[in-house]
Amino acid sequence: MREETFFFQWRFMAFGLIFLFLLPQAFTYDTPPINPCYAHAPFLPPIANPRLLKAYAALQAWKFTITSDPNGFTSNWCGPHVCNYTGVYCAPALDNPYVLTVAGIDLNHANIAGYLPIELGLLTDLALFHINSNRFQGQLPKTLKCLELLHELDVSNNKLSGEFPSVIFSLPSLKFLDIRFNEFQGDVPDQLFDLNLDALFINDNKFQFRLPKNIGNSPVSVLVLANIDLQGSCVPPSFYKMGKTLHELIISNSQITGCLNREIGILNQLTVFDVSYNNLVGSLPETIGDMKSLEQLNIAHNKFSGYIPESICRLPSLENFTYSYNFFSGEPPACLRLQEFDDRRNCLPSRPMQRSPAEC
């Protein structure tokens, strides 16, 4: 509550200072230029556009929290012309094309260290926020809920921590969510899979949860759940409801168990299917041969057995089929004619680098 109160005090002060600075300008023509080039300006400059004034307040507050910027990305974040700041992109406001506003921030691969201040909630016209491959710590501020136009949120490859950032559920326009390669931990709310997202990356965090029954409600085209602990989940039946939208699915090294059902073939829009490094058992369903768009298939490091269906190796778009480190006992010649394949460490007769008879 204290955090949100402080945030709205900022908003009130920003709007109030618009009149404080602009009223004298209405009666004078010789106002000296103001260019407060400080890490955190002690006052707000006379910016006629209220939206850019709020953006100035937000960006100066953010710069104040930055502890390291070795490549100088924010070195020109000073003065009132925020649209000239590196990584800051302005565009006409959606509700008023005659008003310029900050619509995007892109600081990817900047190697910046610091925190994300609550004043970022002042950027209410922001549609894109990309800060991947930096060293930001802490949590996503709850004031991001004010970014009702935010379409893409990419905070991947940082040092963000804490529980799953629930502020995400307050972003009605969000379509692209990437929080991978951070230090988030704990449960992932089932509610995540009810969001109207197009792409979802939560891999390489410290999450621990079971795949929920409502996972099939997600309309995503790309879903990556790799390198997290799914606590021995089986693939829920509702998963196959994603057949019309899902194009890439990666659930590698995530502790999933059980077998792949015949219904897996319903996911016939997939181009990438990776369930490697898990504890899946049984035989491969022949219905995988119905995935006519499949280009990359990786089922390595599981406990699959039996004969590989020929229909899989005859898929028209299949470029790479990796099925090493399983217990397959037969493979059709079509598999050996693929552009790339890996059949090592199975129980395949007459093939090199197989398991010993004792293991098979």
Side-chain angles (χ1 to χ4, degrees), residues 25 31 41 63 71 81 119 124 129 138 175 190 316 351 359:
Q25 283 193 351
T31 303
K63 184 173 182 179
N71 299 311
H81 303 297
E119 288 84 0
T124 51
F129 187 63
K175 293 293 184 181
D190 296 357
R351 290 294 299 162
E359 290 180 282

Side-chain angles (χ1 to χ4, degrees), residues 26 77 82 95 178 247 314 323:
W77 281 26
V82 297
D95 59 338
D178 190 347
H247 287 219
R314 292 191 178 277
Y323 48 101

Side-chain angles (χ1 to χ4, degrees), residues 240-241 243-244 262-269 287 291:
Y240 306 115
K241 292 167 54 179
K244 294 182 179 180
R262 288 184 52 83
E263 289 81 3
I264 196 70
I266 297 175
L267 303 178
N268 55 18
Q269 302 298 311
T287 53
M291 299 180 181

Side-chain angles (χ1 to χ4, degrees), residues 15-30:
F15 281 116
L17 287 178
I18 293 171
F19 298 100
L20 180 64
F21 283 107
L22 294 185
L23 188 59
Q25 283 193 351
F27 302 96
T28 180
Y29 299 94
D30 299 316

Side-chain angles (χ1 to χ4, degrees), residues 27 44 85 154 181 242 277 286 335 354:
F27 302 96
L44 299 178
Y85 289 7
D154 182 356
F181 291 101
M242 306 171 75
Y277 290 89
E286 189 172 350
C335 294
Q354 299 297 299

Side-chain angles (χ1 to χ4, degrees), residues 62 65 114-118 120 129 131 136-137 139-141 144 155 160:
W62 191 8
T65 68
Y115 298 86
L116 302 179
I118 61 173
L120 290 178
F129 187 63
I131 58 167
F136 288 110
Q137 301 181 42
Q139 302 180 1
L140 294 184
L144 292 185
V155 297
L160 300 172

Side-chain angles (χ1 to χ4, degrees), residues 10 18 21 53 58 87 122 180 186 199 230 233 258 286 350-351:
W10 256 97
I18 293 171
F21 283 107
L53 181 59
L122 291 168
R180 57 186 162 173
L230 294 179
S233 300
E286 189 172 350
S350 304
R351 290 294 299 162

